[in-house]
Amino acid sequence: MSAPQPLLSATDLHAGYRDSAVLHGVSLYLAPAEVVTLIGPNGAGKSTLLKTLMGYLIPSQGRVVFRGADITRLRPEERVRRGMAYVPQLDNVFPSLTVAETLRMGAYTLPKALLRERLQAVYDLFPLLAARRKQRVRTLSGGERQLLATGRALMTQPALLLLDEPTAALAPQMADLVFEKVRDICAQGTAVLLVEQDAYRALEVSQRGYVLVDGRNAFGGRADRLLHDEQLRQAYLGG
């Protein structure tokens, strides 16, 4: 029996900014409803990889396949329609909007008949947002804004969610909530590719992980094995 087809696979990706190459042949894959963490030092290319997978950067070489179709050169909005979503680390919500308005913005590709259903699903996943649905985003804490940005991305019920450092600068209690929600999102059937500065905590909620160094694959494997690899612990997990 052949192995099941990955939800997403990237092969030999080379990408960067103008004349500055950042990725040098990176490859990875995600299975459906799987959490995978990308770790590595600053400047390793983790955020660049997410932007390339989402279509904000077009690779000079390599291939991205999602749900069996080559999407290497598709625009980001086309990838959203096919079932991908992306939450950047910074500037991911508009302060002047309310929570409810922000979530509705995330449903722009959906038929209106599904809007109420998806709003309720996101409120069920994030009760904190339901309690603040009429508040302006500017009144929310940093952690609440991060949950809102994630909730907006989930409005389209994506098959794959890309998260770029969702707990950066958050208080420990709010970071705990973010990791808890990553587990919940996976349990509901959405795969998550996670770039996270707290590599140890991220691997704890993941099935697998990849380590990038200088824009190249350095290590990869099951999350529990990476957590107990002494060399990796010393180099990337804080010992």
Side-chain angles (χ1 to χ4, degrees), residues 78-158:
E78 290 297 327
R79 301 185 197 216
V80 170
R81 291 187 177 92
R82 288 172 182 250
M84 295 178 66
Y86 168 63
V87 181
Q89 178 184 354
L90 301 173
D91 301 324
N92 50 25
V93 286
F94 295 101
S96 61
L97 299 181
T98 66
V99 167
E101 289 168 343
T102 300
L103 293 177
R104 290 191 184 96
M105 278 185 61
Y108 72 95
T109 63
L110 293 181
K112 289 185 178 179
L114 289 178
L115 177 58
R116 185 187 298 271
E117 176 185 325
R118 289 307 304 152
L119 271 174
Q120 189 57 54
V122 171
Y123 286 144
D124 288 345
L125 182 62
F126 300 106
L128 185 150
L129 298 182
R132 290 161 171 70
R133 66 184 73 192
K134 295 182 180 180
Q135 286 186 221
R136 299 287 173 185
V137 173
R138 61 173 168 263
T139 69
L140 303 181
S141 70
E144 291 166 348
R145 292 186 189 199
Q146 186 61 52
L147 294 180
L148 176 58
T150 303
R152 182 184 62 186
L154 292 173
M155 284 294 292
T156 56
Q157 202 169 4

Side-chain angles (χ1 to χ4, degrees), residues 17 22-23 26 38 41-52 195 212-216:
Y17 307 90
V22 178
L23 303 181
V26 173
L38 290 173
N42 290 337
K46 303 183 297 295
S47 294
T48 299
L49 177 56
L50 291 193
K51 291 175 183 176
T52 303
V195 169
L212 297 188
V213 178
D214 295 330
R216 296 175 172 85

